[in-house]
């Protein structure tokens, strides 16, 4: 599983180097890969930051996946931070 997340980020890096503009589907896929591999919550939150910087808008899928990643890593405080983001965005 851990190798798959690295592969996903390599593909993402190649896309960016080729001038492909990532969208919400691209970012959600990376966040999901982090969630599925486990132990990658920090990386998933970093993708959220990249997503926002790029102008893509996090959606319900983005936040649900982040909360799932928080639950897998027993990061309750971070899960509540994600819930606050949902409230702030009005999802």
């Amino acid at each position: 599983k851990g190798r798959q997340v690295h592969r996903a980020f390599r593909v993402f890096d190649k896309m960016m180097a080729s001038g492909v503009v990532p969208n919400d589907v691209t970012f959600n896929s990376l966040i999901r890969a982090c969630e599925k591999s486990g132990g990658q919550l920090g990386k998933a939150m970093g993708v959220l930051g990249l997503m926002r910087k790029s102008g893509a808008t996090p959606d319900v899928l983005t936040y649900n996946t982040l909360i799932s990643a928080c639950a897998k890593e027993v990061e309750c405080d971070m899960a509540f931070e994600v819930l606050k983001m949902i409230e702030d965005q009005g999802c």
Side-chain angles (χ1 to χ4, degrees):
K1 288 183 183 179
R3 291 180 64 197
Q4 295 299 334
V5 75
H6 294 297
R7 290 172 79 187
F9 276 90
R10 277 199 309 268
V11 170
F12 177 75
D13 291 341
K14 286 181 183 179
M15 286 174 56
M16 296 294 287
S18 298
V20 176
V21 178
N23 61 17
D24 58 331
V25 174
T26 307
F27 289 113
N28 283 339
S29 296
L30 286 173
I31 291 170
R32 181 77 172 162
C34 292
E35 182 264 340
K36 283 290 189 188
S37 71
Q40 301 287 333
L41 179 57
K43 202 167 213 168
M45 295 304 289
V47 172
L48 177 64
L50 288 173
M51 183 178 201
R52 287 183 169 148
K53 265 188 191 174
S54 78
T57 304
D59 58 15
V60 173
L61 178 61
T62 309
Y63 292 122
N64 283 345
T65 307
L66 287 169
I67 290 171
S68 177
C70 290
K72 286 183 177 183
E73 295 189 32
V74 194
E75 289 286 347
C76 295
D77 291 339
M78 182 63 73
F80 283 113
E81 286 183 38
V82 173
L83 284 172
K84 175 87 170 92
M85 291 177 210
I86 293 169
E87 291 172 356
D88 292 345
Q89 188 173 322
C91 282

